Amino acid sequence: MQPASLKKYRPFPPIHLPDRTWPDKVIDRAPEWCSVDLRDGNQALPQPMSVEEKLEFFDLLVGVGFKQIEVGFPSAADTEFNFLRRLIDENRIPDDVTIQVLVQTRDHLIRKTFDAINGAKRAIVHIYNSTSPLQRRVTFGDATRESIRDIALEGARLVKELVPTIPNTEVVLQYSPESFSDTELDFALECCAGVIDIWQPTPEKKMIINLPDTVQWATPNIHADMIEWMSRHLTRRDSVIVSLHTHNDRGTGVAATELGLMAGADRVEGTLFGNGERTGNLDIVTVALNMNSHGIATGLDFSNLSTIRAVYERVTRLPVPERQPYAGELVFTAFSGSHQDAIKKGLDRRAREVAKDPDIPWGVPYLTIDPQDIGRSYEAIIRINSQSGKGGVAYVLDREHGFDLPKTRQHLLPRRLHGFAGKSECRVYCTR
Ligand code: KIV
Ligand code: ZN
């Protein structure tokens, strides 16, 4: 930007939390996960999914292991309502999966939402209203804090009144102060505390307070401070599940979520590969596989990531970028000769070590995980191009043609191969 443009912007004020504890915390267990692909993700698609595509995506999410799935905004459009009714009426929701529905805190929308979930075994009703000073001023025309808080409270009261009207559905309650990321903490707390007071959760029947990083205005440490502050100040904390919902405007959705978990959150909302409004929602695949890479079980199974990606790309009509962590086409591909050499040494050494001790920890240079654990192949790791050098050529000869050349003979190799030298299913290309 030109210096003149910078005059428009201001630093984001830090949170006063000198006794913050999150920096010393270590993530040692997985949160509850909730996919918002079919709502936040779908609403952000240039061409939203059809009902058939949503049904396929729902099955995909169930297969991955999600136990909470936000299935839409049924009061917003007939297609959303009809999709949800098909899930319920055709018994497509497994017993251990809870659907979630989103609705603004508005009377007629809340009533329609209860009609939509009637008959589901279990459903999370997620109400929200926007709370930040910017939204109060601009979107709601200088609305007062009190009037915004009252919108939340009125919605919460109506929800409480409607729960007994659908006795066959177990309803779990969730409230989001939307735009939490730039809401004054004391006001976010006031809205949440008011809703908690109406819903009266208990440790046996908890409710969810979702604290959305609706727009990422600040660095992830500030997000973590905000989460720790809320987590400490929330009333009935033992009866509340604190949930994260980070977007990715600053490219730090994953970081904000990880620090938010360190700061005390219990639950994470996000999407596969980070689809969502603007720069997207949190990429749950990355956070879950980051945990796996530290030996933490997540309950989500991405062992067949390429298949998951293929379904995702087909139904969303969005490509997964080539450098997307874990899933991108190129993320297990080394171009530089020195990287290729180190990887080859690492893989060879590991093969020898594993033969002696199958539980030996992973340790291959440049590869944070074993690509095979997510259905990727070693053959995809090396591409030979003009930068690859003799190490890469030796690797291809070994892997593709079974010629394990001794180091002393590798100097006889050309510095590069010409033409395609791979098996049909692998991606080893030799270029000038
Ligand atoms: O980003 C957001 O704030 C949302 C809310 C509706 C939870 O999607
Ligand atoms: Zn969102």
Side-chain angles (χ1 to χ4, degrees), residues 25-306:
K25 297 278 166 59
V26 172
I27 297 174
D28 58 5
R29 72 194 128 97
E32 291 179 26
W33 304 106
C34 178
S35 151
V36 295
D37 291 85
L38 292 163
R39 195 276 300 173
D40 220 346
N42 186 57
Q43 78 188 34
L45 291 176
Q47 186 182 338
M49 288 179 253
S50 66
V51 170
E52 291 306 321
E53 285 165 340
K54 282 188 183 179
L55 291 171
E56 185 178 356
F57 206 128
F58 181 82
D59 291 344
L60 179 76
L61 295 167
V62 170
V64 164
F66 283 98
K67 301 298 176 207
Q68 298 175 31
I69 302 176
E70 193 167 75
V71 289
F73 202 139
S75 62
D78 284 348
T79 47
E80 302 263 307
F81 189 95
N82 295 340
F83 165 62
L84 175 52
R85 285 317 313 173
R86 276 193 67 181
L87 286 177
I88 298 170
D89 296 337
E90 295 173 13
N91 286 321
R92 288 169 172 268
I93 308 165
D95 281 352
D96 62 349
V97 171
T98 305
I99 52 161
Q100 175 168 313
V101 285
L102 180 75
V103 60
Q104 279 167 2
T105 46
R106 292 171 64 187
D107 192 293
H108 68 291
L109 300 180
I110 293 175
R111 289 180 194 280
K112 186 157 184 194
T113 302
F114 272 80
D115 289 343
I117 58 170
N118 193 3
K121 188 165 176 280
R122 198 161 183 263
I124 301 169
V125 173
H126 176 190
I127 64 169
Y128 75 96
N129 68 316
S130 202
T131 51
S132 71
L134 184 60
Q135 294 273 3
R136 297 194 310 257
R137 185 162 55 82
V138 176
T139 315
F140 300 105
D142 294 312
T144 61
R145 279 167 62 138
E146 291 65 35
S147 66
I148 294 289
R149 183 205 54 208
D150 288 350
I151 292 173
L153 302 191
E154 277 161 30
R157 279 190 207 101
L158 178 59
V159 165
K160 187 170 183 175
E161 191 184 309
L162 292 175
V163 170
T165 64
I166 51 167
N168 296 329
T169 301
E170 183 191 341
V171 179
V172 178
L173 302 176
Q174 173 166 339
Y175 171 66
S176 290
E178 202 245 35
S179 62
F180 167 75
S181 41
D182 57 328
T183 298
E184 311 92 323
L185 284 174
D186 69 320
F187 184 54
L189 181 66
E190 186 182 332
C191 294
C192 292
V195 173
I196 292 170
D197 197 40
I198 292 168
W199 285 348
Q200 300 271 312
T202 63
E204 293 71 42
K205 182 128 181 68
K206 297 186 185 193
M207 62 168 279
I208 302 164
I209 288 285
N210 187 49
L211 300 173
D213 205 5
T214 304
V215 179
Q216 259 186 343
W217 302 101
T219 48
N221 59 309
I222 290 187
H223 178 252
D225 279 352
M226 293 174 78
I227 300 298
E228 179 164 340
W229 191 93
M230 287 295 287
S231 183
R232 284 197 212 169
H233 287 83
L234 276 174
T235 46
R236 295 182 184 240
R237 179 65 183 90
D238 62 348
S239 307
V240 171
I241 293 166
V242 172
S243 174
L244 305 175
H245 177 110
T246 64
H247 280 266
N248 197 35
D249 301 82
R250 299 170 62 90
T252 54
V254 169
T257 294
E258 291 182 333
L259 300 193
L261 288 172
M262 290 159 62
D266 313 294
R267 180 179 187 266
V268 164
E269 294 190 351
T271 59
L272 299 186
F273 313 116
N275 179 37
E277 293 283 2
R278 308 178 308 279
T279 51
N281 281 71
L282 163 76
D283 174 14
I284 282 193
V285 178
T286 298
V287 174
L289 287 173
N290 284 353
M291 287 185 187
N292 284 169
S293 79
H294 287 183
I296 299 167
T298 64
L300 301 181
D301 181 1
F302 293 113
S303 58
N304 203 350
L305 195 54
S306 303

